[in-house]
Amino acid sequence: MTYRLPYPDSDLQEVLDRNDTARELLANFARSTSTLADLWQLITAALQDTPVLVAEISRLRTDISRRRLHRANLIAAIRAALSAAADGEPDPLSYLRDELAEQAGLLAPTRKDCGS
């Protein structure tokens, strides 16, 4: 079974390019019909939100990918521990301890994350 991401794999650069085109068209319309200046300003403001939203989507995608990898590694460690226990290994939980220690090091906040 193929795993499908919960969001479409849209090309965010394409979204930004279309947004730039729309903003250019809007600027031309605004110059030609100045009587609708207030309307053009509202639409321009809405279009200015797109780059911010695209940046946030990119950040969230990176974060969710990292978290999925951590989760997959934990599941692998759990399976290894269960298998080791079934095989009678003396310390089957070592797999979990090692993975948790690894992730604690990876997930520990950095100075940048703490605002320092």
Side-chain angles (χ1 to χ4, degrees):
M1 180 172 149
T2 303
Y3 178 75
R4 302 205 29 107
L5 295 174
Y7 49 81
D9 189 20
S10 62
D11 182 1
L12 295 178
Q13 184 58 51
E14 213 174 288
V15 170
L16 290 172
D17 291 345
R18 286 193 305 267
N19 182 266
D20 287 342
T21 301
R23 289 169 69 179
E24 288 173 22
L25 289 170
L26 188 62
N28 289 330
F29 287 140
R31 279 192 291 275
S32 65
T33 56
S34 59
T35 56
L36 299 174
D38 292 341
L39 175 67
W40 299 131
Q41 287 177 356
L42 288 172
I43 297 170
T44 299
L47 289 172
Q48 289 172 344
D49 292 339
T50 302
V52 174
L53 294 173
V54 165
E56 180 66 5
I57 289 168
S58 296
R59 186 191 67 76
L60 290 170
R61 284 183 176 180
T62 299
D63 186 54
I64 199 168
S65 293
R66 182 178 53 87
R67 290 177 188 273
R68 283 187 177 136
L69 177 61
H70 291 297
R71 181 177 176 268
N73 287 341
L74 278 175
I75 290 170
I78 290 167
R79 288 181 175 151
L82 291 172
S83 181
D87 291 344
E89 286 189 27
D91 188 14
L93 292 179
S94 64
Y95 297 98
L96 277 174
R97 278 194 296 274
D98 291 346
E99 183 57 34
L100 290 171
E102 174 72 21
Q103 288 194 19
L106 292 174
L107 297 176
T110 62
R111 287 184 170 272
K112 185 176 128 188
D113 295 335
C114 294
S116 298

